[in-house]
Amino acid sequence: MTAYEALEAQFTQEEQVKLTLVINVIGAWNRIAVGFRMWLETDATRKLQAAA
């Protein structure tokens, strides 16, 4: 089974379009965040920084 066949088995054509758009928006925001050196600090990242 190809990846496209697996996608068709789970999602309608409309859902496939929406999923594709969401994936692209997430990718765009990730590129913007990297470009502006944005960093989300969480408790886990603070603990790692404190341990270093």
Side-chain angles (χ1 to χ4, degrees), residues 1-29:
M1 176 181 286
T2 66
Y4 185 73
E5 290 169 337
L7 184 69
E8 277 188 319
Q10 297 293 318
F11 299 99
T12 66
Q13 284 186 337
E14 182 179 345
E15 291 171 330
Q16 290 175 37
V17 170
K18 290 178 180 180
L19 182 62
T20 301
L21 293 173
V22 168
I23 290 169
N24 280 291
V25 168
I26 292 168
W29 278 113

